[in-house]
Amino acid sequence: MASHTAHPGARQRIKFDEALPVDHRLNQVYRIGAGLMGLFLLAFGILGLTNNIGFFDTGGNTAIGLNTNGALSVLSICVGLLLFVGMVIGGNFASTLNMVLGVLFILNGFLFLGLLSTDSNFLAFKIQNVLFSFVVGLVLMVFGMYGRVSTNLPHDNPYWRARHPEGEQRAGSEVQAR
């Protein structure tokens, strides 16, 4: 026995790449998110490299309270630079980049959560690194999805206006009629 009711009519799916506006106020949110995370990852990577640790050393070397080795430091610098590129380009590219990297950080957290006490933990993750990966992943996803993912976007949202040009004209004519 089903406890839910079926909705009449087909539900419309949101498509991210369908006529997205290029210049809008949310562009600053995407850029700030990418820039802040990129800056932190760059600082972490550079501090990790200055400790002169081995590339795959799994000792207890730390930088900014997180366990690190040479490979994790180089990877952090590369991802930080990628986020800075997203900040410079901005717009929908930064939003999509933030979402993709956010998902990758969360998947990375789950992967290394399973590898914590094994010899396969080549990036020297400890539990604080796993938690950091989850937090950064969620923050990047929020920055990337802000104002872009919802089925009930307000009518003044640039994504709603771009997807519903006929609705914008109708809303404008209703305001004029009042």
Side-chain angles (χ1 to χ4, degrees), residues 121-144:
N121 187 2
F122 61 93
L123 291 181
F125 265 50
K126 290 195 176 179
I127 193 66
Q128 63 265 27
N129 295 75
V130 171
L131 294 175
F132 174 77
S133 187
F134 286 146
V135 169
V136 168
L138 288 173
V139 168
L140 282 174
M141 284 177 29
V142 166
F143 275 127

Side-chain angles (χ1 to χ4, degrees), residues 2 23-24 27 30 39 43 56 62 65 73 89 91 98 118-119 130 135 137-138 144 148 155 159-160 164 166:
D23 188 25
H24 53 81
N27 187 19
Y30 309 143
L39 180 66
F56 289 113
T62 61
S73 296
I89 294 173
N98 286 346
T118 67
D119 292 333
V130 171
V135 169
L138 288 173
R148 195 169 170 189
H155 297 300
Y159 289 106
W160 187 91
H164 302 91
E166 72 286 346

Side-chain angles (χ1 to χ4, degrees), residues 18 57 158:
E18 181 183 318
D57 184 22

Side-chain angles (χ1 to χ4, degrees), residues 12-169:
Q12 191 176 24
R13 292 195 162 267
I14 293 175
K15 295 179 182 176
F16 291 117
D17 297 328
E18 181 183 318
L20 297 176
V22 175
D23 188 25
H24 53 81
R25 59 189 163 94
L26 295 176
N27 187 19
Q28 295 305 318
V29 175
Y30 309 143
R31 285 184 161 190
I32 290 170
L36 289 176
M37 288 298 118
L39 180 66
F40 185 82
L41 288 172
L42 274 173
F44 172 72
I46 291 170
L47 288 174
L49 284 179
T50 59
N51 287 339
N52 295 326
I53 54 180
F55 200 72
F56 289 113
D57 184 22
T58 56
N61 299 312
T62 61
I64 314 178
L66 298 171
N67 209 39
T68 189
N69 63 13
L72 183 58
S73 296
V74 169
L75 184 63
S76 296
I77 291 171
C78 291
V79 172
L81 289 174
L82 183 61
L83 284 167
F84 267 124
V85 168
M87 181 187 72
V88 170
I89 294 173
N92 299 327
F93 176 78
S95 172
T96 304
L97 180 68
N98 286 346
M99 284 189 284
V100 168
L101 288 178
V103 169
L104 291 176
F105 265 95
I106 289 175
L107 292 175
N108 181 56
F110 279 119
L111 172 68
F112 281 96
L113 183 62
L115 297 176
L116 276 181
S117 298
T118 67
D119 292 333
S120 300
N121 187 2
F122 61 93
L123 291 181
F125 265 50
K126 290 195 176 179
I127 193 66
Q128 63 265 27
N129 295 75
V130 171
L131 294 175
F132 174 77
S133 187
F134 286 146
V135 169
V136 168
L138 288 173
V139 168
L140 282 174
M141 284 177 29
V142 166
F143 275 127
M145 292 181 190
Y146 181 75
R148 195 169 170 189
V149 177
S150 174
T151 56
N152 298 320
L153 292 173
H155 297 300
D156 65 339
N157 185 289
Y159 289 106
W160 187 91
R161 288 194 315 249
R163 293 179 185 136
H164 302 91
E166 72 286 346
E168 184 177 0
Q169 293 169 354

